[in-house]
Amino acid sequence: MLKTLSEEDWVPGGGNYHLYLPFKPKDIFSFGEYYFMLFDEGFVIMEREELAHVERTTSLNTLCEPFYHSFSSLSDVVGEKIVSPEIYHHKEVVGGLELYLRQKNLFFCLRWFADCSGFVLAWKKEIEEQCLFAKCNNNGILAFSSGKKIILLDDKGELEVVYEEKNPLYRIDVTPSRNEFGINDLFHWSPDGKKILFYQTDDSSVGEYPIVKITDPMASVEMLKYPMAGSASENVHLSVLDVERKNLVSINVYEDSITIPPISHFESYITSLTWSADSAKILLCELERSQKYYQVKEYSAQTGEFLRFLWDERSEKYVEPETSFYYWTNSFGAECVCFLSQRSGHNQLYCFNTSENRIVPLTEGEWDVTEVYGFSSSKDSLLFAATYHSPLGREVLSVSLIDLTIAVLSRGEGSNHLFYHEGSEERIIFHESCENPGEIEFPFGKCLKVECPLQNVRVPRKKIGFINKKSGRLYYRIIFPLEEKKEKLPVFFYVYGGPHVQLITDTFGSSTKGLEEVMASSGFITFCVDPRGSANRGYDFESAIYQQINRPQVDDYDDALDWFLQEYDEYVDKKKLFIYGWSFGGYMSLSMLLNSRHRFKLGIAGGAVVDWRYYEVMYTERYMGDRKDFEQFYEKADLKEQLGKLSTPVCLIHCDNDPVVLWQHTLSLLKKANSLNGIAPYISYYLFPGHLHNVVGKERVQLTLKIKSLIISCL
């Protein structure tokens, strides 16, 4: 008899959630005569010869099982409980392998040798200081930030403080720009492993927002630096630290106004940090605060001086550099730089020839490059992933830097990922699709299949398709209820609709996070659409929301609902429409309640933006512009001012410690509701104390139960 799953099974944080995840690898690499595979649950090492003899249809689960069970003693090896540690470095040694791992502030090294039965502990180090933004060089030396210090942890487990910030205005315990523009790292090691390029953030002019922490018996307050749209932002600086000589060189980003085209340095953003192969130069992108113009420039790593201007890009809406560059020397000895840009209307690869000051497109087409892996081992091609055959999938491709021919290295359907390790000749690709939990394809024709964890489970049926509109296809996902019923079905409409996010994908389960399956299992038919504003559909599709940040989505959602309710007219109850979203999705849930031509029975808005004046500079000004010039667009997008139109019950949910969408958004909407006649009765409110922007862990299940109970109570 097939099992029916509960919230504890479907939802991340649930007690049984891990039992229904595919046993798929997080990383694979080869060393000597072996393959190493990293899983959430542990490690697996296989002999090449053993793998070469398996059948093509062999299950990865079956093949790995004896290794997996024998490795359950990892905690015994380390001497304390270890759960899904991060591997920050590995290196091949004579007859074996060394792995350098981290779990929060615990660091340790394991060794494995072919003539041993398992791993042995080489050393471990528990660090009392903060361990922020840990980044390893090619030699296994780890740099991390701790307050005002930069500390190194070497490959023997020894600590050394190599720098202490003296400038009281500079912070080296945060990354700048609130992780926008692809900025996730504080440190950037030089290729020779001797120098660190790092950010110094001056947020002294940025306003503070109080985050109240529930402590016993008296609550405490943490002041969060939060640059709201239209207000003062950060000033970013860069320095290069020679870790052996301990000397510091400042990169003079703001002292080049005479020698290159003019750019406004006022609170500009610095991103795409890249070292040259010889560790002598630094390439970076400076983006004006308006986000309409950026420059790419090169600096000396020895002196910090400006060397040359390379190229620039501008747009009437916005430009958005997010990735590092790739230095390359062509067959004529000319230095070139490969980079990503949306200048053609789609995210494509380009090459800038520094001797000719000329940009040549490397790829062209009505599709988007989604990830660049790096150069092939011969350095004559670039490896990348793209929406080559479908916006829902990912293909692994290569483009020749000699004749610009494109080769497809993966299948033509589903989603594919290359396990890339620089210098490796082997191309190991993980393939999955909506119905396929995964297969690992090795270069010698072997394929290991991932077993489906839902074989003995009643799984709601999914359907993915598209609706044609003048603005482009709108891709949708429908999940049908488990039970066939004679009466018409209530509808659960799940929304997001913001930039950088794509909900509908051809991956196993189609990227759902459990809530839709829970609602389908409870007798609902669920509907989800990626409207204009969503990612990986080209510049025009995503930027359609510029200075009308919710209007195109409302139009697309309305059109999609028109199609859905007509297409499934005999199955759905049009009087029982429910809508839910979180974060930008919360904003869109509220926007639909206030502006849609469809009538909902209940809306739920979690962690919702309400007024873009309260949201961060970097994100908001990209899509709305500067408040001093475009205040009228902020007024139109302010949901507080539209609240008088509310005629549908709505539940607001928020986390009080949210550092992204501040609690102020929900509180301000509640305050406005109390000032309007007849609106407060429509609004209910629920809080998750102590959580950040998302409800995680065990309480994620409680969030799901809350959403479900609110909706069912309205049936």
Side-chain angles (χ1 to χ4, degrees):
M1 184 174 178
L2 296 179
K3 179 181 179 181
T4 300
L5 299 187
S6 70
E7 291 79 11
E8 288 287 342
D9 306 312
W10 281 122
V11 179
N16 303 320
Y17 176 71
H18 66 286
L19 299 176
Y20 300 99
L21 295 177
F23 183 63
K24 63 183 185 182
K26 298 171 67 176
D27 196 9
I28 304 177
F29 60 82
S30 61
F31 67 99
E33 298 301 316
Y34 301 90
Y35 285 104
F36 174 88
M37 295 187 183
L38 170 65
F39 297 88
D40 281 327
E41 300 88 349
F43 315 115
V44 171
I45 290 180
M46 297 181 183
E47 294 184 36
R48 286 174 181 269
E49 184 177 347
E50 176 189 2
L51 190 57
H53 286 92
V54 303
E55 296 293 330
R56 181 175 174 83
T57 56
T58 297
S59 161
L60 174 66
N61 305 50
T62 302
L63 187 64
C64 292
E65 193 165 322
F67 296 88
Y68 170 61
H69 284 298
S70 67
F71 199 70
S72 61
S73 61
L74 173 61
S75 296
D76 294 335
V77 174
V78 180
E80 54 190 287
K81 186 176 181 180
I82 302 296
V83 181
S84 298
E86 165 200 355
I87 296 178
Y88 64 84
H89 184 63
H90 72 268
K91 66 181 178 182
E92 190 173 346
V93 295
V94 177
L97 176 72
E98 283 190 351
L99 296 174
Y100 299 83
L101 303 100
R102 175 195 182 190
Q103 184 173 282
K104 295 183 180 178
N105 66 332
L106 178 68
F107 298 81
F108 54 98
C109 174
L110 300 180
R111 292 196 179 106
W112 180 90
F113 294 99
D115 56 357
C116 296
S117 59
F119 285 85
V120 295
L121 180 66
W123 55 262
K124 71 175 179 179
K125 188 83 172 183
E126 188 163 8
I127 299 173
E128 295 181 0
E129 297 94 339
Q130 285 182 307
C131 300
L132 304 174
F133 311 107
K135 192 71 175 289
C136 190
N137 69 5
N138 296 328
N139 303 316
I141 299 176
L142 194 77
F144 63 87
S145 164
S146 182
K148 286 282 189 177
K149 299 176 183 177
I150 297 177
I151 301 175
L152 299 187
L153 177 70
D154 68 18
D155 59 354
K156 303 295 188 297
E158 299 299 322
L159 292 172
E160 181 185 9
V161 177
V162 291
Y163 177 72
E164 187 164 0
E165 182 60 65
K166 303 298 184 184
N167 191 324
L169 297 181
Y170 288 175
R171 296 185 62 181
I172 58 171
D173 60 348
V174 295
T175 52
S177 306
R178 296 182 60 81
N179 299 113
E180 292 295 322
F181 319 111
I183 302 173
N184 295 305
D185 294 321
L186 183 70
F187 302 117
H188 296 262
W189 281 96
S190 60
D192 63 11
K194 297 180 179 179
K195 301 182 184 70
I196 300 172
L197 173 66
F198 66 98
Y199 285 108
Q200 296 155 304
T201 302
D202 176 4
D203 60 6
S204 57
S205 299
V206 174
E208 294 183 323
Y209 184 87
I211 300 290
V212 179
K213 303 283 186 175
I214 298 176
T215 52
D216 188 18
M218 182 72 74
S220 61
V221 175
E222 176 184 306
M223 301 306 295
L224 171 71
K225 288 286 188 177
Y226 196 95
M228 287 187 180
S231 64
S233 186
E234 306 164 342
N235 286 292
V236 181
H237 302 269
L238 289 171
S239 288
V240 174
L241 174 69
D242 186 318
V243 297
E244 293 179 354
R245 300 177 181 177
K246 308 294 190 298
N247 65 300
L248 195 73
V249 172
S250 296
I251 305 300
N252 301 320
V253 177
Y254 306 118
E255 297 178 10
D256 49 28
S257 56
I258 298 175
T259 55
I260 61 172
I263 185 172
S264 172
H265 296 306
F266 172 72
E267 294 179 349
S268 61
Y269 307 110
I270 309 298
T271 186
S272 304
L273 305 185
T274 306
W275 282 91
S276 61
D278 61 2
S279 302
K281 295 173 291 187
I282 291 165
L283 202 63
L284 58 82
C285 174
E286 183 179 9
L287 173 68
E288 286 185 338
R289 176 166 168 170
S290 70
Q291 301 189 49
K292 295 178 183 293
Y293 177 65
Y294 75 70
Q295 296 181 343
V296 178
K297 302 176 285 187
E298 198 173 58
Y299 294 83
S300 167
Q302 281 74 36
T303 66
E305 296 303 312
F306 167 75
L307 295 178
R308 55 181 171 174
F309 164 83
L310 277 74
W311 73 89
D312 56 8
E313 189 171 335
R314 67 174 68 247
S315 169
E316 292 183 359
K317 291 183 176 179
Y318 59 84
V319 288
E320 191 176 5
E322 288 191 291
T323 57
S324 299
F325 307 112
Y326 296 86
Y327 277 96
W328 171 61
T329 303
N330 66 20
S331 56
F332 301 102
E335 190 176 70
C336 301
V337 179
C338 301
F339 66 99
L340 276 172
S341 171
Q342 298 187 85
R343 60 182 62 204
S344 71
H346 283 272
N347 209 32
Q348 297 287 338
L349 283 163
Y350 294 84
C351 183
F352 178 79
N353 187 312
T354 60
S355 60
E356 299 176 2
N357 289 328
R358 185 168 63 96
I359 294 175
V360 176
L362 297 176
T363 60
E364 297 178 285
E366 300 295 309
W367 43 271
D368 288 275
V369 176
T370 56
E371 182 177 4
V372 179
Y373 297 112
F375 290 105
S376 63
S377 57
S378 57
K379 300 290 185 182
D380 60 358
S381 62
L382 263 178
L383 306 171
F384 62 97
T387 60
Y388 193 63
H389 286 105
S390 166
L392 304 188
R394 300 291 183 270
E395 286 282 9
V396 177
L397 306 104
S398 68
V399 57
S400 168
L401 298 171
I402 308 303
D403 59 12
L404 304 187
T405 56
I406 290 180
V408 180
L409 306 179
S410 59
R411 304 185 189 185
E413 81 287 344
S415 296
N416 301 273
H417 170 76
L418 176 69
F419 291 112
Y420 173 77
H421 291 273
E422 189 173 1
S424 174
E425 294 285 346
E426 295 188 280
R427 294 174 186 173
I428 304 169
I429 295 174
F430 183 80
H431 167 82
E432 65 177 317
S433 65
C434 189
E435 301 297 331
N436 182 356
E439 297 172 317
I440 307 169
E441 300 174 349
F442 290 87
F444 46 83
K446 294 297 179 180
C447 178
L448 297 179
K449 292 181 176 293
V450 175
E451 289 182 4
C452 180
L454 303 172
Q455 289 179 353
N456 300 312
V457 171
R458 299 177 70 209
V459 179
R461 179 171 64 91
K462 293 184 175 72
K463 179 182 178 181
I464 292 177
F466 61 83
I467 307 158
N468 279 316
K469 280 195 63 178
K470 288 183 179 180
S471 58
R473 290 178 171 179
L474 298 181
Y475 286 91
Y476 66 80
R477 176 176 61 237
I478 300 172
I479 305 183
F480 298 90
L482 286 174
E483 304 286 351
E484 291 187 10
K485 296 184 178 181
K486 292 183 180 179
E487 66 268 21
K488 290 192 173 185
L489 301 169
V491 177
F492 179 74
F493 188 31
Y494 179 61
V495 296
Y496 186 81
H500 299 168
V501 172
Q502 180 182 13
L503 294 180
I504 318 299
T505 62
D506 195 1
T507 54
F508 184 63
S510 184
S511 304
T512 59
K513 296 179 175 65
L515 175 59
E516 290 165 87
E517 284 87 353
V518 167
M519 297 307 296
S521 300
S522 303
F524 289 75
I525 183 169
T526 77
F527 188 46
C528 182
V529 178
D530 276 329
R532 281 173 292 171
S534 304
N536 302 316
R537 294 291 306 282
Y539 183 81
D540 288 345
F541 193 87
E542 189 171 57
S543 68
I545 67 171
Y546 181 72
Q547 293 186 339
Q548 49 174 0
I549 200 163
N550 61 354
R551 191 65 253 173
Q553 300 98 314
V554 169
D555 291 343
D556 287 351
Y557 283 147
D558 272 347
D559 289 347
L561 280 172
D562 286 343
W563 171 87
F564 174 72
L565 296 176
Q566 180 178 353
E567 187 77 8
Y568 293 91
D569 178 60
E570 60 182 298
Y571 301 105
V572 302
D573 188 338
K574 297 177 183 178
K575 294 182 179 180
K576 293 181 180 179
L577 303 183
F578 300 88
I579 188 169
Y580 164 78
W582 192 277
S583 192
F584 199 107
Y587 177 69
M588 289 313 307
S589 180
L590 288 168
S591 295
M592 287 292 287
L593 295 180
L594 295 168
N595 297 293
S596 172
R597 59 176 172 264
H598 292 278
R599 175 81 175 183
F600 295 90
K601 198 167 181 65
L602 173 70
I604 301 175
V609 174
V610 168
D611 185 342
W612 289 99
R613 301 177 185 91
Y614 304 158
Y615 201 64
E616 60 193 37
V617 165
M618 300 82 183
Y619 185 99
T620 306
E621 293 183 358
R622 182 187 310 135
Y623 306 112
M624 297 289 283
D626 193 325
R627 281 186 59 192
K628 70 176 183 294
D629 299 319
F630 302 109
E631 179 67 19
Q632 70 271 28
F633 298 117
Y634 286 83
E635 291 175 0
K636 288 182 180 179
D638 181 1
L639 300 184
K640 300 193 307 297
E641 298 309 309
Q642 303 172 40
L643 197 57
K645 296 188 294 181
L646 185 68
S647 59
T648 299
V650 59
C651 179
L652 305 174
I653 304 176
H654 219 109
C655 302
D656 64 342
N657 288 175
D658 193 333
V660 180
V661 181
L662 303 173
W663 194 12
Q664 178 170 328
H665 286 270
T666 290
L667 295 177
S668 67
L669 196 69
L670 291 171
K671 182 179 180 181
K672 183 68 176 182
N674 292 335
S675 70
L676 299 172
N677 291 328
I679 297 300
Y682 286 114
I683 299 178
S684 60
Y685 175 49
Y686 197 80
L687 188 67
F688 279 87
H691 284 271
L692 303 180
H693 185 47
N694 289 294
V695 181
V696 296
K698 294 180 180 180
E699 290 189 23
R700 179 83 173 199
V701 176
Q702 301 305 316
L703 170 63
T704 304
L705 289 168
K706 182 64 179 178
I707 294 167
K708 176 181 166 182
S709 65
L710 284 167
I711 292 174
I712 289 177
S713 67
C714 293
L715 290 178

